[in-house]
């Protein structure tokens, strides 16, 4: 007799990570190309001596360091196994079977998966023609079953950014009993335009008890392989998150590395300037070559190639670089080192133009 497994799991897709192969230039997973700083690597090496012990389940040192850096009380901070782990915990603490989770689409591909696994109903709200969130339609999608709304800002995979004023207006219109998660995994790559007010989730969460801010050490801090992120929320939400948190899921190396990274934050975040400069250089070259490339506030670019996306990504793989394909919608290209970006541009402005339908 075969083991009994929930039958609804057959209809739930597994998360598919960015692929790679030996020797490929990987521009698929929005990773930073630079590893941890030497000082952070030293802390990680030292921490291996204590791996016979369980990690601190409350991540006390990390929470205290975050509280000091962010200027918020420690009781408003929760740490998780990457920000995606906290996304899953938010669904668990807000939803019963049949409750609804609203999110823009396309957005982070984990949202519908973690919603379905919890037995909740995913409500996808199509993005605007400019590839950004349609906040009015998201508000219109709220029902008496809505329990959670994800707002990915900047959005993955389109790179779009909501402004502070429109986000404030949206948050004020959402009923106070509905939790809104501001997923700011790419916050460190945001650069405001002249005269533009930066949409900072921590400021927006002040006075709004239903707003949760999610950030991560995976991107700008270069710790994707250690899986550590954090949430800033009302203390009642933090307590609820602790009740569904998988014990010891934020390992000891991750905790120590995150603290060391925060202590070297200025040096680490200075690296983002190079990524932003490359982002604008690559986008400019693609625009000159005839591509439609929306402005990006993240460490990647979105090519809305529609039905041409698969052929484009497959040909890029044959040319030695791995991109992230979203079949029938578009291709996401991570900003890498300059020589990696040059390799991509050589493909995109050569063979790729015909595949993208540019004549």
């Amino acid at each position: 007799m075969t083991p009994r497994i929930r039958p609804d799991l057959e209809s739930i897709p597994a998360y598919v990570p960015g692929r790679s192969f030996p020797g490929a230039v990987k521009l698929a997973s929005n990773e930073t190309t630079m590893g941890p700083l030497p000082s952070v690597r030293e802390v990680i090496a030292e921490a291996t001596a204590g791996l016979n012990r369980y990690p601190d389940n409350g991540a006390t040192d990390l929470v205290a360091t975050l509280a000091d850096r962010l200027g918020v009380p420690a009781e408003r901070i929760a740490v998780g196994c990457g920000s995606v782990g906290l996304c899953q915990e938010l669904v668990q603490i807000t939803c019963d079977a049949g409750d609804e989770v609203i999110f823009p689409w396309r957005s982070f591909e984990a949202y519908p998966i973690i919603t379905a696994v919890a037995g909740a109903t995913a409500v996808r709200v199509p993005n605007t023609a400019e590839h950004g969130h349609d906040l009015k339609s998201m508000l219109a999608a709220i029902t008496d079953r809505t329990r959670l709304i994800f707002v990915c800002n900047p959005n993955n995979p389109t790179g779009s950014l909501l402004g502070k004023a429109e986000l404030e207006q949206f948050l004020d219109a959402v009923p106070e009993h509905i939790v809104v998660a501001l997923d700011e995994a790419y916050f460190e790559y945001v650069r405001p335009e002249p005269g533009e007010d930066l949409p900072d989730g921590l400021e927006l969460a002040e006075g709004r008890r239903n707003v949760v801010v999610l950030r991560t050490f995976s991107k700008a801090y270069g710790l994707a392989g250690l899986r550590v992120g954090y949430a800033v929320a009302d203390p009642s939400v933090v307590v609820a998150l602790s009740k569904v948190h998988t014990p010891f899921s934020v390992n000891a190396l991750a905790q120590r590395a995150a603290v060391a990274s925060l202590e070297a934050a200025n040096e680490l975040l200075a690296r983002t300037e190079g990524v932003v400069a490359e982002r604008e250089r690559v986008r400019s070259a693609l625009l000159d070559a005839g591509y439609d490339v929306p402005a990006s506030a993240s460490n990647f670019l979105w090519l809305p190639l529609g039905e041409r996306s698969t052929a484009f990504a497959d040909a890029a793989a044959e040319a030695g670089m791995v991109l992230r394909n979203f079949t029938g919608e578009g291709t996401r290209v991570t900003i890498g080192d300059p020589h990696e970006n040059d390799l991509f541009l050589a493909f995109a402005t050569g063979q790729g133009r015909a595949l993208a339908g540019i004549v």
Side-chain angles (χ1 to χ4, degrees):
M1 182 179 235
T2 56
R4 183 182 179 89
I5 296 173
R6 281 172 48 186
D8 65 309
L9 290 182
E10 290 188 9
S11 64
I12 300 175
Y15 179 82
V16 180
R19 60 177 179 161
S20 188
F21 53 85
V25 171
K26 189 180 180 186
L27 303 176
S29 298
N30 301 344
E31 302 146 325
T32 179
T33 58
M34 294 171 282
L37 293 172
S39 60
V40 177
R41 292 200 300 269
E42 289 177 9
V43 167
I44 293 171
E46 292 171 1
T48 61
L51 292 184
N52 56 309
R53 304 294 184 186
Y54 285 108
D56 174 7
N57 193 50
T60 307
D61 288 345
L62 177 53
V63 167
T65 305
L66 281 167
D68 181 65
R69 180 168 181 82
L70 301 176
V72 299
E75 58 265 27
R76 290 188 59 204
I77 298 174
V79 173
C81 186
S83 56
V84 68
L86 289 159
C87 287
Q88 184 167 21
E89 291 172 3
L90 282 172
V91 177
Q92 290 176 307
I93 68 170
T94 57
C95 293
D96 288 320
D99 287 336
E100 296 173 350
V101 178
I102 296 173
F103 48 83
W105 199 250
R106 177 164 289 274
S107 193
F108 183 32
E109 58 262 45
Y111 295 155
I113 297 172
I114 60 179
T115 298
V117 169
T121 300
V123 179
R124 297 171 174 84
V125 177
N127 287 329
T128 66
E130 293 75 34
H131 313 288
H133 295 351
D134 186 342
L135 295 181
K136 290 184 179 179
S137 294
M138 291 175 69
L139 287 173
I142 293 174
T143 72
D144 59 357
R145 298 296 296 177
T146 304
R147 298 292 180 267
L148 176 65
I149 301 174
F150 283 111
V151 176
C152 192
N153 199 44
N155 185 46
N156 174 19
T158 65
S160 62
L161 181 70
L162 294 165
K164 181 179 180 181
E166 60 183 331
L167 199 45
E168 282 182 320
Q169 186 177 13
F170 171 79
L171 294 174
D172 289 341
V174 174
E176 294 180 357
H177 69 279
I178 297 174
V179 173
V180 180
L182 299 181
D183 188 345
E184 295 187 333
Y186 300 93
F187 175 79
E188 290 84 1
Y189 298 103
V190 175
R191 298 295 184 274
E193 296 294 330
E196 182 185 27
D197 203 355
L198 181 70
D200 186 333
L202 296 180
E203 294 179 5
L204 294 169
E206 287 295 326
R208 296 181 173 93
R209 297 185 62 190
N210 63 324
V211 175
V212 178
V213 181
L214 301 172
R215 293 184 183 170
T216 183
F217 289 91
S218 295
K219 310 302 180 185
Y221 287 90
L223 298 180
L226 284 179
R227 312 306 305 124
V228 55
Y230 62 93
V232 178
D234 185 79
S236 64
V237 174
V238 172
V239 170
L241 288 171
S242 71
K243 294 181 179 181
V244 298
H245 180 72
T246 301
F248 310 118
S249 59
V250 184
N251 68 72
L253 301 185
Q255 293 184 37
R256 292 286 301 278
V259 169
S261 295
L262 287 170
E263 292 171 349
N266 291 340
E267 185 177 357
L268 280 167
L269 296 181
R271 295 177 170 185
T272 63
E273 295 297 335
V275 174
V276 170
E278 279 294 288
R279 177 185 78 199
E280 298 310 312
R281 179 180 77 89
V282 174
R283 179 172 184 255
S284 179
L286 291 171
L287 290 172
D288 289 344
Y291 285 85
D292 174 15
V293 191
S296 174
S298 55
N299 68 337
F300 54 83
L301 294 171
W302 174 247
L303 305 182
L305 299 175
E307 296 300 328
R308 297 177 181 270
S309 62
T310 299
F312 185 89
D314 287 347
E318 291 179 7
M321 70 210 76
V322 183
L323 313 178
R324 188 60 181 264
N325 173 49
F326 296 86
T327 300
E329 297 178 71
T331 303
R332 190 188 67 200
V333 185
T334 303
I335 299 301
D337 289 332
H339 73 278
E340 295 175 325
N341 300 330
D342 287 342
L343 180 65
F344 167 70
L345 286 174
F347 163 78
T349 58
Q351 176 191 5
R353 291 183 81 247
L355 292 168
I358 301 172
V359 295

